[in-house]
Amino acid sequence: MGASRKDEYSRLAALVAATRETNGDLFGKAMVDWLRLYVGFDHCVIFGYRGASRPPLLFETFSPAERHVFVALYQEGPYLLDPFHHAAVERKEGFWRMRELAPDRFYASEYFRSYYSQTRLAEEVGFFVPLPGKDALVLSLMRLRASGPFGTADARLLRDMAPAVISLARFRWPALPADEPAESMQDETLPAVNEFDRAHIWESLSLTPREKHVVDLVLQGHSTESIARAMRIVPGTVKVHRRNIYRKLKIKSQAGLFARFVEIIEARIR
């Protein structure tokens, strides 16, 4: 981005100093200032991930209106279908682009149409930071449609910077905060916080374990062929499961399935 050597060193020094601060905003702002010396982006957000639990917000740069979509709505349930959430809980580490993690039908999924399109993003990329136990955090950088996606050179540079970003983030947050909001989705019916098992979400539905797995993969944006590979079954069997699911739930499309998902999440947070 044309920064002088002095700017590079001074902002890096400020970032290192911020890792010792208890205020996460100071670290986040210092990280944003440092990264923007090299790559342009519109927003940065840092979420912690604890299995299927509601993700704690650690830092963000949104306006109040944007925060409603990117944080408030996201934490209500859409995070469960987010490729970044899945990758974080699966312990991926390093720099990843959304397009590298998203299922093959993600951009045509009802989740994308109903929620993700509201973000007006051209692209989202992230630094994935596994933490002790099964916790993780993700530092996401976002470019709006008006800015266009990250270029190949930008992505290559961010990937090269990943070890430093990850080490600094892990130094600032050696573990996720313990005192998260009481409105967490956990209750006595849900699994332990570190368990990545979303089967409990579908407990209210009269589905078999395999049908619940298919529901989960469909909502994430997997095609029939992708589901078959993930479950190690033939595509024809996936189609049978989908027909049975739609019949049991009295729906006719993925839109209806997503609507049921929203109903279940809303019932849990009321």
Side-chain angles (χ1 to χ4, degrees):
M1 300 293 289
S4 70
R5 189 67 59 84
K6 181 178 179 180
D7 283 341
E8 292 178 359
Y9 290 152
S10 63
R11 294 195 192 185
L12 180 58
L15 176 55
V16 171
T19 62
R20 299 192 294 269
E21 300 291 340
T22 57
N23 186 337
D25 279 355
L26 294 178
F27 174 83
K29 291 173 182 176
M31 177 65 78
V32 166
D33 287 344
W34 182 58
L35 290 173
R36 277 186 170 147
L37 288 174
Y38 307 99
V39 175
F41 53 91
D42 295 302
H43 289 300
C44 174
V45 63
I46 307 176
F47 277 110
Y49 291 102
R50 287 174 158 150
S53 299
R54 178 174 176 163
L57 174 68
L58 304 177
F59 173 76
E60 51 86 7
T61 62
F62 306 118
S63 69
E66 291 168 327
R67 193 178 192 279
H68 174 70
V69 174
F70 284 98
V71 179
L73 288 183
Y74 180 77
Q75 287 179 318
E76 287 181 4
Y79 72 87
L80 290 162
L81 305 179
D82 181 10
F84 275 22
H85 169 242
H86 288 260
V89 178
E90 290 168 1
R91 312 294 290 167
K92 284 191 181 295
E93 182 170 349
F95 172 83
W96 295 85
R97 305 178 81 164
M98 176 66 80
R99 67 182 70 169
E100 297 170 331
L101 300 174
D104 57 348
R105 295 285 292 167
F106 174 75
Y107 295 100
S109 68
E110 191 61 33
Y111 165 77
F112 183 85
R113 288 193 293 265
S114 298
Y115 169 72
Y116 200 85
S117 62
Q118 295 182 60
T119 65
R120 298 180 294 110
L121 291 180
E123 188 175 10
E124 181 178 3
V125 301
F127 297 96
F128 290 73
V129 186
L131 297 175
K134 296 183 180 179
D135 291 356
L137 67 84
V138 178
L139 188 156
S140 295
L141 303 181
M142 302 171 172
R143 296 195 67 178
L144 298 172
R145 292 172 190 163
S147 302
F150 290 90
T152 301
D154 289 340
R156 186 182 302 116
L157 177 57
L158 290 170
R159 202 177 303 276
D160 290 342
M161 297 173 75
V165 174
I166 291 168
S167 293
L168 289 164
R170 191 177 280 135
F171 193 79
R172 170 60 188 84
W173 286 288
L176 295 183
D179 54 342
E180 292 310 320
E183 65 266 26
S184 168
M185 289 174 58
Q186 289 193 16
D187 59 35
E188 65 277 4
T189 69
L190 302 189
V193 69
N194 283 331
E195 294 179 10
F196 185 48
D197 179 4
R198 292 179 307 282
H200 65 275
I201 299 166
W202 316 114
E203 285 177 354
S204 62
L205 305 180
S206 300
L207 303 177
T208 67
R210 284 223 153 186
E211 288 169 348
K212 292 175 183 177
H213 195 182
V214 170
V215 166
D216 201 36
L217 293 172
V218 168
L219 286 173
Q220 289 175 44
H222 287 271
S223 66
T224 295
E225 292 73 19
S226 179
I227 294 171
R229 288 192 296 271
M231 298 182 66
R232 298 183 179 180
I233 56 180
V234 299
T237 303
V238 176
K239 293 177 181 178
V240 170
H241 284 314
R242 291 186 70 160
R243 284 198 297 269
N244 290 338
I245 290 164
Y246 285 16
R247 175 178 54 79
K248 288 181 179 181
L249 301 184
K250 298 179 180 180
I251 58 176
K252 297 181 178 179
S253 65
Q254 188 184 141
L257 188 60
F258 186 80
R260 291 300 298 272
F261 167 76
V262 172
E263 289 173 5
I264 291 168
I265 295 302
E266 289 178 345
R268 286 190 172 275
I269 64 176
R270 277 200 290 267

